Amino acid sequence: MYIEEAFKVKHDWWRYIIGLLFAFIGWQMIGLIPLIMVAFSKSDGIQHFIEAAENSFSDLGINPNLFLVLMIIGFAVGLLGLLLAVRYIHEQKITSLTTSRKKVDWKRIWFSFFMVIILNLILFFISYMMEPEIYELNFRAVPFIILLLISLFLLPLQTSFEEYLFRGYLMQGIGVLARNRWLPLLLTSVMFGLLHGFNPEVAKLGNIMMVYYIGTGFLFGVMTLMDEGMELALGFHAANNMLAAVLVTTDWSALQTDAIFKDISEPTAGLDIILPIVIQYPIIIFLLAKKYKWSGWKEKLFGKVTRENLTLN
């Protein structure tokens, strides 16, 4: 079973502390050096740089595509740090961090990816038909093509870092230390939400956005535990962020890009935040459960984590 894969490798608690330090140093220190250098070159002195940092350097006039690449570099170096820790601190292969299957199931990744693309395009079409006045055409060919290439080839590094950190490393680590499944599901989902608590959407729309982020964390966590691997979460997360980057942008979101459309409406937090959690996500779980014939819900989500479970895998 998925969490029990960690029993096969070195899983002392202090190793996970070191691994988290590897990821943090790569992500928030080494990986941000290029962004800091560019931001400083755009600033009028140290005071201006400090003030700009409070707004994540979004008001320095950095080209949106360049800014996106610089942000992704931080996540990419964080992912590298995490995988180095997995390999050399835990002596674990990336396959067993990804899935309990003998090899990574790319069909699952691609199914989840295209399911999200199709579903979100349908939802956008409905929204556009109902309220076309809130969307402004933002398409510019050259910047969009560059954005599309960045989204296809670099943005998955950002989403993969978050998935390998929360649904992989911490899910397994907390699971084998706590010897149960509900605690890693709960903690990784809440931590995933808190990670996004610094996004400007939260400041603009209020703490109700945390319901969405934590709920999304639970969705990915349930996918991972029920399917005994991260493949579905990896595909879902990548597709969701890619489409968010290339389809619609706003002046106040964390991801401001040269997307096809710009949402010019006044942001409000209401049913559009709650509905995905109470309607869309349960439907997605239902469809995946039917396709992959999930069973043993109580055991997989709330059962004990023991070495003996490895023999049942």
Side-chain angles (χ1 to χ4, degrees), residues 54-118:
E54 295 177 356
N55 295 318
S56 302
F57 307 120
S58 59
D59 56 355
L60 289 179
I62 301 175
N63 178 276
N65 283 332
L66 173 60
F67 187 80
L68 180 59
V69 170
L70 293 171
M71 289 295 293
I72 292 173
I73 289 174
F75 289 101
V77 179
L79 177 61
L80 176 61
L82 180 63
L83 295 182
L84 286 174
V86 168
R87 178 66 181 87
Y88 295 104
I89 304 299
H90 297 273
E91 298 182 7
Q92 182 177 15
K93 294 181 179 180
I94 190 173
T95 301
S96 68
L97 182 66
T98 308
T99 184
S100 61
R101 287 169 272 275
K102 293 182 179 180
K103 60 181 181 179
V104 176
D105 189 342
W106 283 92
K107 290 183 179 179
R108 275 175 156 82
I109 295 176
W110 287 117
F111 177 82
S112 181
F113 180 90
F114 285 112
M115 176 187 70
V116 173
I117 294 291
I118 293 170

Side-chain angles (χ1 to χ4, degrees), residues 283-295 297:
I283 291 174
I284 289 171
I285 290 294
F286 175 79
L287 293 175
L288 292 175
K290 288 295 184 182
K291 177 173 176 58
Y292 294 109
K293 298 179 174 60
W294 291 345
S295 61
W297 290 75

Side-chain angles (χ1 to χ4, degrees), residues 1-26:
M1 302 179 80
Y2 178 65
I3 291 180
E4 284 82 353
E5 289 294 312
F7 280 127
K8 299 178 181 178
V9 301
K10 296 180 178 179
H11 57 276
D12 310 87
W13 66 268
W14 56 266
R15 296 179 188 274
Y16 287 97
I17 300 298
I18 295 175
L20 290 175
L21 285 174
F22 269 54
F24 181 82
I25 291 171

